[in-house]
Amino acid sequence: MRNIFYLLILTFLFLSCDEDIANRTVQSETPVLTQVSVIDALLQGFYDGFYPIGDLKLHGDYGIGTFHGLDGEMVIFNDTVFQVKADGNVYILNDTVKTPFAAVAPLIADTAFTFSGLRYDSLKSDFSDYFPTPNIFYLVKIKGEFSYMHTRSVPAQEKPYPPLVEVTQNQPEFTFENVKGDIIGFYCPAYAEGINVTGLHLHFIDESRGKGGHIIDFTLKSGTMQLGYLLDYRLILPDGGDFYGGDFTIDRTDELDDVEG
Ligand SMILES: [Zn+2]
C-alpha cells in the first residue's frame, strides 16, 4: 500500500515537471537579452576574453560589447561582428575571437519612430515619449543620417590590465558630420546597476562600415528608431580567471559615470 502511495507521489511529481518544461518552451519564444560577464568586471580590468563571438551571434543578430584585451568597440549588426579599433578603423574578426563583455539580442521591433531631427539629450530627457516604462530592458536600433556623431574607442591593453576608468582617460575620440549609418545598443533599467550600464548605451557603425565607436553624443538629421522590448535576460559568466577573485562588493557607480563621461 505504502509503495503505491509513493508511486502516486512520483507520478504526480513527474507530471508537474512535465508541465514546467512545457511552460519554459513557451517562454523561450520571447526575445532574450544574452549578456557575457558584468560591467563591474570590466570596470575592475577583467579584459580576458572567454566567450567566442561566433557563439555570441547564436543568441541574437544585434548587440554591442568589446574584445579580448579591451581591443576596440564591438557592434553586432545583422549577424556581422564589427570591431571599431582605437585607430578609428573597422575590422571584421574571426568567429574564434573571444569577448570579455558583450550583450546581444534578436531584433523583434515592438515600436518604431520616424524623426526629422533628434538630439541624444532629447532622447534621454523625453524618454517616456518613446519607452513605455524605464523598468524593462530594450534593444535600440536607429538608422538614418546624422548631422553630428561623436564616438570613442578604447586602445587594446596588456596585462597587468589597468581599471577601465584609467584606460578611458586616454581614449581616442572621433567626430563625424553628415554621416549615414546605424546605432545599435541597449537601455538597461536602474536596478541593473553593477550588471550592465544603466540607461542608454549605444554604439555606431557608419553605412560604409568604415567608422563608428561607442557613442558620446549625436544629432540625428532624419531616420527611424526601432525598439525591441526585452523581458527575458540570460547572463553568461567566466568559469574562473580574474572573475573568481574579483571584488563585487564595491559601489562602482562613480567610476562608471567617469567611463561613460
Ligand atoms: Zn560602449
Side-chain angles (χ1 to χ4, degrees):
M1 186 61 200
R2 188 176 251 204
N3 282 344
I4 288 169
F5 175 73
Y6 282 134
L7 191 67
L8 278 172
I9 296 258
L10 280 172
T11 308
F12 175 75
L13 283 174
F14 179 75
L15 287 173
S16 325
C17 277
D18 224 26
E19 201 175 315
D20 273 356
I21 290 163
N23 286 341
R24 239 176 276 155
T25 310
V26 170
Q27 282 199 354
S28 70
E29 283 166 11
T30 66
V32 179
L33 168 52
T34 301
Q35 186 182 319
V36 172
S37 192
V38 295
I39 192 67
D40 273 13
L42 208 65
L43 287 167
Q44 288 177 67
F46 300 166
Y47 309 140
D48 278 339
F50 67 95
Y51 199 77
I53 57 176
D55 291 357
L56 193 62
K57 289 193 286 185
L58 300 175
H59 302 292
D61 35 10
Y62 293 91
I64 57 174
T66 188
F67 300 92
H68 177 76
L70 202 68
D71 192 8
E73 306 285 345
M74 179 194 290
V75 185
I76 306 179
F77 189 94
N78 196 15
D79 261 345
T80 304
V81 180
F82 297 98
Q83 177 197 33
V84 185
K85 275 181 74 108
D87 64 8
N89 295 319
V90 177
Y91 304 84
I92 293 176
L93 297 174
N94 189 296
D95 277 355
T96 58
V97 171
K98 291 176 178 170
T99 177
F101 179 78
V104 67
L107 176 64
I108 299 168
D110 291 280
T111 49
F113 303 89
T114 302
F115 296 97
S116 48
L118 173 75
R119 291 178 58 239
Y120 192 16
D121 280 348
S122 310
L123 182 63
K124 288 186 260 193
S125 60
D126 303 336
F127 182 85
S128 61
D129 289 354
Y130 314 108
F131 300 77
T133 170
N135 300 330
I136 63 169
F137 296 80
Y138 299 90
L139 174 62
V140 180
K141 180 174 176 285
I142 304 175
K143 185 180 198 65
E145 184 172 359
F146 300 85
S147 53
Y148 177 72
M149 179 60 72
H150 182 191
T151 65
R152 70 120 200 264
S153 186
V154 275
Q157 301 297 307
E158 297 201 347
K159 286 202 158 187
Y161 294 135
L164 189 58
V165 69
E166 281 177 31
V167 176
T168 54
Q169 273 161 18
N170 297 304
Q171 59 187 4
E173 295 185 13
F174 314 101
T175 53
F176 313 111
E177 283 175 15
N178 301 316
V179 62
K180 286 182 181 173
D182 297 277
I183 290 175
I184 295 295
F186 292 95
Y187 168 88
C188 296
Y191 58 77
E193 192 180 302
I195 296 174
N196 205 322
V197 177
T198 58
L200 288 162
H201 178 193
L202 308 174
H203 288 189
F204 176 69
I205 184 91
D206 83 321
E207 195 180 48
S208 73
R209 309 308 189 214
K211 50 199 174 196
H214 169 105
I215 292 178
I216 297 168
D217 196 13
F218 73 83
T219 303
L220 176 67
K221 191 190 281 180
S222 63
T224 305
M225 174 171 76
Q226 291 174 291
L227 299 178
Y229 303 173
L230 298 167
L231 308 172
D232 206 343
Y233 199 105
R234 181 186 177 204
L235 205 51
I236 298 168
L237 300 175
D239 183 15
D242 292 334
F243 193 86
Y244 275 25
D247 185 351
F248 292 90
T249 63
I250 298 169
D251 181 350
R252 300 180 191 275
T253 315
D254 290 346
E255 278 176 60
L256 184 60
D257 286 347
D258 271 6
V259 166
E260 292 297 305

